[in-house]
Amino acid sequence: MISEFPLFCFTTLAGLAAGAYVVAAVFLVGKESKRAWLFPLVCLVLLGVGLLGLPMHLGRPERLLTALTHPTAMIAQEAYWSMAFGVVLLIDLVILKTKGSVPRALRAVGAVFALGLMCVMGNAYFVSLAVSAWASWPTFPLFVLGDLAMGAAGVAVLAHVMKERGAKPAEVDGDAADIATLQFSKQGAFLNTEMVLAVLAAVAFVAEAVHFDGTGLNAMPFVVAAIIAVAGAISVLAGREDKLSESVTVWLTFACLFVAVVVARYTFYAAYAL
């Protein structure tokens, strides 16, 4: 196991939550299902479990409290942005559970915090002196595009599960988007976006592979991650063209993109031990 495993868990799980929330803020605003509160709850759980990686990385929980007194420390900034994002998720959850719909402004604010968290995660390694290979521009797309790609796939899975369980949407503001009724049509903007994000994530992995190879580090796992991400994009395309069922499409796409991010990010952290 790599020494940076706690941070690997943090950036992967919290990144999944952040990426999903940004995508949801764009596509899933307006009409809400009776179980729409499951979305912020899942994101909150992912963020909470991921955050356990910060004190684990420092060895003792009290060290994190000390780190929080130094706002310029990157681990403190990650914690601050995570807490801000977590507060929005909690408010989102409470409002959806009690009122059934959430204000657009809240989702917009949450998306800003989520995007900020993803950028701060990337910047923590971009400015790091621990590994020279980390201090390069491919670090940012590796984190941000990877999070958005697997986040979009996660949103599709949750939407599908909610629809399969018969969640009934309630009309609010007359909007057409709904977390339980994403349209897997041939012209669906969501599917097109999901596919583009998967391809962009693959490009980010290739860029990181080129950089790692230039520094003499093992770049092959990044190439493997890129191939898996492309497989995820192909899965979306096959679903859009009715070659695969909706169920197979959403689960296969999520599996591909999550595994691709895990492989790429694990390889990224493994450089610390070299």
Side-chain angles (χ1 to χ4, degrees):
M1 183 183 297
I2 57 175
S3 60
E4 300 298 284
F5 187 74
L7 292 179
F8 161 76
C9 292
F10 166 63
T11 60
T12 302
L13 297 179
L16 172 57
Y21 201 88
V22 171
V23 172
V26 175
F27 288 97
L28 309 177
V29 180
K31 288 170 64 178
E32 303 289 356
S33 78
K34 292 182 179 179
R35 294 190 179 94
W37 54 269
L38 284 173
F39 172 68
L41 176 61
V42 170
C43 289
L44 192 59
V45 170
L46 288 170
L47 178 65
V49 174
L51 273 172
L52 294 176
L54 295 184
M56 290 175 62
H57 169 67
L58 294 175
R60 295 199 302 266
E62 64 269 19
R63 289 180 177 176
L64 179 59
L65 297 177
T66 301
L68 291 176
T69 64
H70 297 83
T72 58
M74 292 311 303
I75 196 167
Q77 293 185 24
E78 288 176 320
Y80 290 143
W81 281 91
S82 295
M83 288 186 286
F85 179 41
V87 169
V88 174
L89 287 174
L90 183 59
I91 295 173
D92 192 330
L93 171 62
V94 172
I95 292 178
L96 279 177
K97 188 64 175 175
T98 57
K99 296 186 176 181
S101 64
V102 64
R104 295 171 182 267
L106 180 64
R107 284 286 169 91
V109 170
V112 170
F113 286 144
L115 185 58
L117 175 58
M118 291 186 284
C119 291
V120 167
M121 287 177 182
N123 191 55
Y125 303 99
F126 178 76
V127 301
S128 174
L129 300 177
V131 181
S132 59
W134 290 352
S136 63
W137 69 265
T139 295
F140 285 102
L142 175 75
F143 279 86
V144 176
L145 293 176
D147 290 344
L148 289 173
M150 67 174 174
V155 167
V157 167
L158 184 56
H160 175 72
V161 169
M162 292 174 69
K163 186 170 67 173
E164 286 293 299
R165 292 190 176 187
K168 302 296 184 180
E171 187 72 25
V172 177
D173 295 335
D175 294 304
D178 180 76
I179 194 168
T181 56
L182 277 177
Q183 296 301 309
F184 286 79
S185 64
K186 295 181 179 181
Q187 303 301 323
F190 177 84
L191 285 181
N192 293 335
T193 300
E194 186 180 18
M195 187 163 49
V196 169
L197 287 173
V199 172
L200 289 177
V203 172
F205 300 154
V206 171
E208 194 68 87
V210 172
H211 176 68
F212 264 54
D213 184 67
T215 60
L217 295 172
N218 183 18
M220 188 53 62
F222 288 114
V223 177
V224 173
I227 293 173
I228 298 174
V230 170
I234 294 174
S235 173
V236 178
L237 178 62
R240 192 184 68 176
E241 299 300 322
D242 297 327
K243 303 298 183 181
L244 295 175
S245 67
E246 180 180 324
S247 180
V248 172
T249 297
V250 297
W251 285 107
L252 179 59
T253 302
F254 178 74
C256 287
L257 292 174
F258 184 77
V259 170
V261 170
V262 166
V263 171
R265 205 154 292 184
Y266 193 93
T267 306
F268 180 84
Y269 282 111
Y272 182 78
L274 300 178

